[in-house]
Amino acid sequence: MRRLFPQLIVVMIVVAAVFAVLMAASILTGRHTGQARLQQIEAVLRDEECALPCFMGIPTDMNRLGYEQVALLLEQHPYVKAVTVESASYSYMTISWEWSGAQPPFIDGSRLGEIRYDNANGFHSTYIPTVLRAHDLYRLFGESDFGGTFARRDALQYNVEYPALRLSIAARLPCPATLMDYWDASASLVLRSFIMGNDTQPITAIPSLCTEG
């Protein structure tokens, strides 16, 4: 037994060392993957034809483009399979599209892409569904002091907002909801013509936002 004790200590030291190496490798791999995803997203939103953020050649400031021109740009883009234009009123319109399968891997091809026009207020939003969780995107883009919600009794959409980037992380979830529900929800990147940056509803308030909607 005494002879086995030193050997057991050696085995434990080796196991601990291997575990430490694996943990370090996992952390480094995670950081590399996160950085690669961020670079991939930045590359998709970068276009020489329009100011950042720009998606598929369509700028967030679309006032100079009519919806017909935007729909045509979408129809001609290799990421897009089919385009649908819906008009709720003269001032509000939605352009949605199915993905062709050629889109970048971070985009969720099972969900429609969407551009929402609010011409009365000069406000436009482009919704890009992703395969990433809200928490994944939050870690990629960093913390933000700004957040807002669109809530009803049965559901809510919470946005983490980055005014300087004119970009939001949006996730929809049914009520009642917890903070963990939001972190685990499939998220969309939302490009906006402008973000006021005056919404300061913290993420931790999500459970109470359902009841306030």
Side-chain angles (χ1 to χ4, degrees):
M1 184 67 181
R2 292 180 178 178
R3 293 179 180 179
L4 291 176
F5 187 70
Q7 296 176 0
L8 182 60
I9 292 177
V10 172
V11 171
M12 292 176 65
I13 293 174
V14 171
V15 170
V18 171
F19 180 77
V21 170
L22 292 176
M23 285 296 294
S26 177
I27 292 172
L28 290 174
T29 300
R31 289 177 179 174
H32 176 75
T33 301
Q35 187 63 29
R37 283 176 173 172
L38 184 57
Q39 291 174 350
Q40 185 182 73
I41 292 172
E42 289 177 340
V44 170
L45 302 183
R46 188 177 301 278
D47 193 302
E48 296 180 357
E49 300 297 325
C50 53
L52 294 176
C54 179
F55 184 60
M56 299 195 299
I58 301 171
T60 51
D61 180 11
M62 293 179 286
N63 290 325
R64 60 185 178 85
L65 299 178
Y67 76 89
E68 299 96 339
Q69 187 175 355
V70 172
L72 181 61
L73 287 172
L74 289 169
E75 289 172 350
Q76 295 173 342
H77 201 282
Y79 293 173
V80 176
K81 178 181 179 181
V83 177
T84 301
V85 179
E86 298 179 3
S87 178
S89 67
Y90 176 77
S91 61
Y92 188 83
M93 183 174 297
T94 300
I95 301 177
S96 59
W97 62 90
E98 299 176 44
W99 302 96
S100 66
Q103 71 277 2
F106 75 87
I107 293 178
D108 184 354
S110 68
R111 293 188 287 159
L112 296 176
E114 192 173 80
I115 295 176
R116 300 176 185 176
Y117 282 86
D118 182 356
N119 291 323
N121 298 309
F123 189 79
H124 313 298
S125 303
T126 301
Y127 284 75
I128 308 169
T130 80
V131 297
L132 304 175
R133 301 179 307 152
H135 190 255
D136 296 328
L137 289 172
Y138 188 79
R139 291 181 63 187
L140 287 178
F141 287 96
E143 295 183 7
S144 173
D145 295 329
F146 304 103
T149 185
F150 301 97
R152 302 193 307 270
R153 291 287 180 182
D154 58 340
L156 68 82
Q157 174 181 307
Y158 185 86
N159 303 324
V160 178
E161 300 175 346
Y162 300 88
L165 300 176
R166 288 188 292 173
L167 179 148
S168 299
I169 298 169
R172 300 175 184 176
L173 51 159
C175 291
T178 67
L179 179 58
M180 188 57 67
D181 292 332
Y182 178 77
W183 287 141
D184 286 338
S186 298
S188 295
L189 286 175
V190 186
L191 313 181
R192 303 185 186 278
S193 53
F194 64 89
I195 295 179
M196 295 297 293
N198 55 4
D199 290 332
T200 55
Q201 294 171 310
I203 294 178
T204 52
I206 284 177
S208 65
L209 295 176
C210 278
T211 58
E212 294 174 0

